[in-house]
């Protein structure tokens, strides 16, 4: 971890060398998702609820998803831009260093300008919590934190799978964006508003349902009976990272240098 934080420190200092650019990019990152939220807000001005979900409930769902996405985009950006390491032959140098490839790829790039997206998501989170009439306790607070962590793990796992494909395709495959950007757009609403096959796919295959739906039902007191599985569902979603790491290790074993 000491090496990882060293990577963070070095790249943060390098990005702060151009502070005006950093500030402008951060502002841009604030307003892009802000416009998305405005569209959600305007939608609820026309309809009082969507499939039984209110504006503030959807806002909580939106905030959790975007917080997880912005943090993964910031700290796991190395996997998202991994194709450049393969094309330039930089991954060959990573392989001969006495550190794990995952740590080195993670430390190859950070996008600190995502603080703009993160701050916007935190504002929406506070907005939703203030307007929701909920009896918060330690279990709900822990579940909320686990939802965010689950989102980070799931988005990071998808980035890792996309990076692994570069071992065979050299360039990244745009289809992965269906599950990163597309997954973000889908999971900013509760999954219950979608068709059954979509709900099942994003619960059992790519488990966004453990981020924005199942634990949300627990926090909003929308379930009766045994609530324990709903509360711990984000932990199950975090397990998604395990097959992603195994796929990455498989790709590394079959990597052949580009000769760059």
């Amino acid at each position: 971890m000491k090496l990882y934080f060293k990577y963070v420190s070095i790249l943060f200092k390098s990005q702060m060398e151009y502070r005006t650019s950093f500030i402008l990019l951060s502002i841009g990152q604030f307003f892009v998702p802000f416009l998305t939220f405005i569209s959600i807000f305007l939608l609820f001005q026309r309809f009082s609820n969507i499939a039984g979900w209110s504006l503030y409930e959807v806002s909580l769902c939106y905030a959790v998803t975007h917080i997880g996405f912005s943090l993964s985009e910031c700290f796991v950006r190395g996997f998202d831009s991994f194709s450049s390491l393969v094309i330039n032959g930089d991954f060959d140098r990573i392989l001969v260093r006495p550190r794990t490839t995952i740590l080195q790829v993670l430390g190859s790039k950070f996008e600190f300008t995502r603080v703009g997206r993160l701050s916007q998501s935190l504002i929406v989170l506070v907005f939703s919590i203030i307007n929701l009439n909920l009896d918060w306790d330690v279990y709900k607070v822990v579940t909320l934190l686990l939802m965010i962590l689950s989102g980070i793990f799931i988005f990071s796992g998808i980035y890792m799978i996309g990076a692994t494909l570069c071992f065979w395709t050299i360039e990244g495959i745009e289809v992965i964006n269906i599950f990163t950007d597309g997954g973000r757009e889908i999971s900013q609403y509760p999954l219950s508003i979608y068709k059954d096959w979509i709900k099942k796919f994003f619960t059992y295959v790519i488990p966004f349902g453990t981020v924005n739906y199942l634990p949300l039902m627990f926090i909003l007191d929308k379930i009766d009976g045994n609530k324990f599985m709903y509360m711990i569902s984000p932990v199950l979603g975090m397990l998604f990272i395990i097959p992603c790491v195994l796929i990455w290790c498989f790709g590394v074993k079959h990597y052949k240098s580009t000769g760059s």
Side-chain angles (χ1 to χ4, degrees), residues 196-250:
D196 191 54
W197 70 269
I198 295 178
K199 185 164 60 176
K200 288 181 178 178
F201 180 83
F202 284 105
T203 300
Y204 300 110
V205 181
I206 300 179
F208 282 116
T210 65
V211 179
N212 77 328
Y213 179 56
L214 297 177
L216 192 64
M217 296 279 284
F218 168 74
I219 289 178
L220 298 175
D221 298 316
K222 288 180 174 286
I223 52 175
D224 297 317
N226 185 12
K227 300 180 179 181
F228 180 71
M229 288 303 298
Y230 288 84
M231 184 180 71
I232 68 166
S233 59
V235 178
L236 301 177
M238 293 179 198
L239 298 179
F240 176 73
I241 197 69
I242 296 176
C244 296
V245 171
L246 294 176
I247 292 171
W248 167 262
C249 293
F250 176 81

Side-chain angles (χ1 to χ4, degrees), residues 20-232:
T20 302
S21 175
F22 178 86
I23 293 172
L24 292 176
L25 287 172
S26 298
I27 293 173
Q29 287 294 321
F30 178 93
F31 281 105
V32 169
F34 177 73
L35 294 176
T36 301
F37 179 72
I38 288 297
S39 67
I40 295 174
F41 182 83
L42 293 176
L43 179 65
F44 277 94
Q45 302 309 300
R46 178 65 177 84
F47 304 98
S48 59
N49 68 82
I50 299 177
W53 296 87
S54 70
L55 168 63
Y56 306 118
E57 292 170 340
V58 172
S59 297
L60 180 60
C61 180
Y62 166 96
V64 168
T65 298
H66 279 262
I67 289 172
F69 179 76
S70 60
L71 289 173
S72 63
E73 231 192 355
C74 175
F75 295 103
V76 196
R77 192 65 172 175
F79 280 102
D80 190 34
S81 59
F82 178 72
S83 60
S84 61
L85 296 179
V86 175
I87 294 171
N88 297 329
D90 292 331
F91 188 67
D92 293 20
R93 289 202 294 268
I94 287 178
L95 287 174
V96 299
R97 292 170 181 165
R99 289 291 186 274
T100 173
T101 56
I102 293 178
L103 175 62
Q104 293 185 74
V105 174
L106 282 174
S108 65
K109 188 172 184 179
F110 297 100
E111 289 287 354
F112 296 106
T113 56
R114 268 38 179 191
V115 67
R117 182 187 294 272
L118 176 62
S119 59
Q120 186 270 342
S121 303
L122 290 173
I123 291 172
V124 175
L125 178 65
V126 173
F127 166 77
S128 62
I129 290 175
I130 289 175
N131 288 280
L132 284 170
N133 186 23
L134 295 176
D135 294 324
W136 287 94
D137 55 30
V138 64
Y139 298 106
K140 290 185 178 181
V141 172
V142 170
T143 301
L144 181 63
L145 295 175
L146 289 176
M147 289 166 68
I148 295 172
L149 284 174
S150 184
I152 296 171
F153 274 78
I154 293 170
F155 281 116
S156 300
I158 297 172
Y159 284 136
M160 192 174 290
I161 292 175
T164 304
L165 295 177
C166 295
F167 291 131
W168 290 278
T169 62
I170 306 301
E171 288 283 357
I173 297 179
E174 286 298 319
V175 70
I176 294 299
N177 291 335
I178 296 175
F179 303 110
T180 51
D181 297 332
R184 180 198 66 216
E185 295 299 317
I186 285 177
S187 58
Q188 66 188 11
Y189 292 95
L191 288 182
S192 60
I193 73 172
Y194 301 109
K195 289 186 177 294
D196 191 54
W197 70 269
I198 295 178
K199 185 164 60 176
K200 288 181 178 178
F201 180 83
F202 284 105
T203 300
Y204 300 110
V205 181
I206 300 179
F208 282 116
T210 65
V211 179
N212 77 328
Y213 179 56
L214 297 177
L216 192 64
M217 296 279 284
F218 168 74
I219 289 178
L220 298 175
D221 298 316
K222 288 180 174 286
I223 52 175
D224 297 317
N226 185 12
K227 300 180 179 181
F228 180 71
M229 288 303 298
Y230 288 84
M231 184 180 71
I232 68 166

